[in-house]
């Protein structure tokens, strides 16, 4: 259980180690190819020291890795600007805590995201008014300029659902999410309509976990599972806390949360029935 940067270093190192082995090279041979001491390769592979994007490029070239998608993902883990472009969230560095930047970085490169939400609508599906009300409640007293910036970030994140290769989002929402009146009746009515629109997108699967389901495996709190298109070894579970986020990367943790999510989907309403349920709440809003 670690914070984002440590997880990224370990995952990057593990993947580079696997790619070296696949290329049939020892760590000493890899070091000689790129002009380093063997200890530097070892430190990078164990995650005990970070790797600069330029270091990662050298290793990937030495290992003959020409999968552009995998290269981009590993370079992002090393802090690179993919394609030479600055990450859009860099402009908000002054208002975003490091853990939030880590989360956005993972979200921007993930191929799929599974999430259980027990209190609020997922950020990727929030309307501007709902996002503003949630952000104001979460950060407390804050000046309007910073509030505006945080809302802009939340809305900008939603572009991953409409990218050329959109993020595949599977969300299970506890019924409490839909019944909690955030921002007032009009804001909630608009938000429910937004959920209905989003649920019809082919890349979005939305299910409601009704109160009638009783106690369930996710009752202890929300979680997110990120999966990546090139390798399952980079998958990660994210747990949010009041002041930080924790990242789980062990295979047994990933397996436990994947099984928990599958159980939640079984106990939740079907996507079709979930749409009907949300629509019925909207009719009464």
């Amino acid at each position: 259980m670690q914070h984002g940067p440590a997880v990224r270093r370990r995952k990057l190192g593990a993947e580079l180690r696997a790619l070296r082995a696949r290329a049939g090279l020892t760590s000493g041979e890899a070091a000689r190819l790129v002009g380093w001491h063997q200890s530097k390769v070892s430190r990078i592979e164990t995650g005990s020291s970070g790797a600069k994007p330029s270091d990662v490029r050298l290793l990937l070239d030495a290992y003959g890795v020409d999968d552009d998608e995998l290269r981009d993902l590993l370079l992002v883990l090393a802090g690179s600007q993919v394609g030479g472009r600055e990450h859009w969230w860099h402009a908000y560095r002054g208002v975003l805590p490091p853990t939030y930047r880590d989360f956005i970085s993972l979200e921007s490169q993930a191929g799929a995201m599974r999430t259980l939400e027990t209190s609020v609508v997922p950020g990727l599906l929030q309307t501007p008014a709902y996002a503003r009300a949630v952000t104001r409640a979460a950060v407390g007293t804050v000046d309007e300029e910073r509030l505006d910036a945080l809302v802009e970030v939340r809305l900008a994140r939603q572009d991953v659902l409409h990218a050329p290769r959109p993020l595949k989002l599977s969300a299970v929402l506890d019924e409490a999410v839909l019944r909690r009146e955030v921002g007032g009746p009009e804001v909630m009515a608009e938000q429910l309509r937004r959920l209905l629109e989003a649920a019809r997108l082919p890349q979005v699967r939305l299910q409601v976990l009704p109160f009638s389901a009783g106690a369930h495996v996710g009752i202890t709190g929300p979680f997110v599972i990120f999966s990546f298109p090139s390798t399952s070894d980079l998958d990660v579970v994210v747990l949010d806390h009041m002041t930080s986020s924790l990242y789980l990367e062990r295979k047994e943790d990933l397996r436990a949360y994947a099984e928990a999510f599958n159980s939640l989907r079984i106990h939740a309403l079907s996507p079709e029935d979930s749409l009907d349920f949300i629509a019925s709440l909207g009719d009464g809003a």
Side-chain angles (χ1 to χ4, degrees):
M1 184 181 297
Q2 303 180 59
H3 295 286
V7 168
R8 288 192 301 179
R9 284 198 306 270
R10 283 172 56 90
K11 287 187 172 295
L12 176 60
E15 185 63 19
L16 289 172
R17 183 170 61 250
L19 290 171
R20 173 179 59 75
R22 199 175 304 159
L25 298 170
T26 66
S27 58
E29 290 169 338
R32 285 193 292 275
L33 279 175
V34 296
W36 298 346
H37 192 280
Q38 181 179 355
S39 62
K40 180 172 180 177
V41 174
S42 297
R43 289 196 304 272
I44 288 174
E45 289 185 352
T46 58
S48 59
S49 96
K52 296 183 294 186
S54 57
D55 294 336
V56 174
R57 289 190 186 92
L58 277 175
L59 292 173
L60 294 177
D61 289 342
Y63 302 159
V65 178
D66 55 8
D67 182 331
D68 290 338
E69 195 169 44
L70 178 57
R71 289 178 69 98
D72 281 351
L73 175 56
L74 296 180
L75 287 168
V76 165
L77 290 176
S80 176
Q81 299 167 0
V82 175
R85 300 187 303 275
E86 185 177 88
H87 300 314
W88 63 263
W89 56 90
H90 179 81
Y92 298 92
R93 179 176 292 178
V95 297
L96 295 180
T99 52
Y100 194 13
R101 294 200 300 269
D102 288 333
F103 184 90
I104 296 173
S105 176
L106 290 171
E107 184 180 71
S108 70
Q109 290 298 307
M113 173 179 172
R114 287 166 283 175
T115 181
L116 165 69
E117 290 291 350
T118 58
S119 298
V120 297
V121 170
L124 295 181
L125 302 178
Q126 293 177 5
T127 66
Y130 185 98
R132 192 174 193 84
V134 166
T135 303
R136 188 186 294 278
V139 300
T141 303
V142 63
D143 63 75
E144 289 299 309
E145 184 176 356
R146 183 164 187 265
L147 181 62
D148 289 343
L150 290 171
V151 173
E152 286 175 13
V153 168
R154 184 156 299 198
L155 299 178
R157 285 172 46 204
Q158 298 177 2
D159 287 347
V160 296
L161 292 176
H162 306 284
R165 292 185 179 180
L167 176 77
K168 295 180 180 178
L169 173 65
S170 182
V172 173
L173 309 185
D174 191 276
E175 184 176 338
V177 172
L178 306 174
R179 293 194 179 277
R180 177 170 288 105
E181 193 172 277
V182 173
E186 292 184 5
V187 170
M188 278 307 300
E190 180 189 30
Q191 180 60 70
L192 292 174
R193 289 193 295 272
R194 171 76 178 97
L195 288 176
L196 292 174
E197 294 169 3
R200 295 187 177 95
L201 295 172
Q203 64 270 35
V204 175
R205 180 186 176 97
L206 191 63
Q207 290 180 259
V208 174
L209 190 63
F211 289 149
S212 59
H216 54 79
V217 68
I219 205 164
T220 54
F223 60 84
V224 172
I225 307 173
F226 284 123
S227 299
F228 295 88
S230 299
T231 171
S232 62
D233 289 339
L234 295 175
D235 292 358
V236 63
V237 175
V238 185
L239 306 177
D240 270 338
H241 294 269
M242 181 68 74
T243 57
S244 65
S245 296
L246 293 177
Y247 294 71
L248 308 179
E249 57 171 335
R250 298 185 310 164
K251 290 187 183 299
E252 51 265 45
D253 291 326
L254 290 166
R255 188 181 308 112
Y257 277 89
E259 290 174 355
F261 191 78
N262 288 338
S263 174
L264 291 166
R265 284 181 53 179
I266 291 171
H267 289 90
L269 300 176
S270 69
E272 296 75 19
D273 288 345
S274 294
L275 281 174
D276 291 341
F277 186 89
I278 294 170
S280 70
L281 294 179
D283 291 340

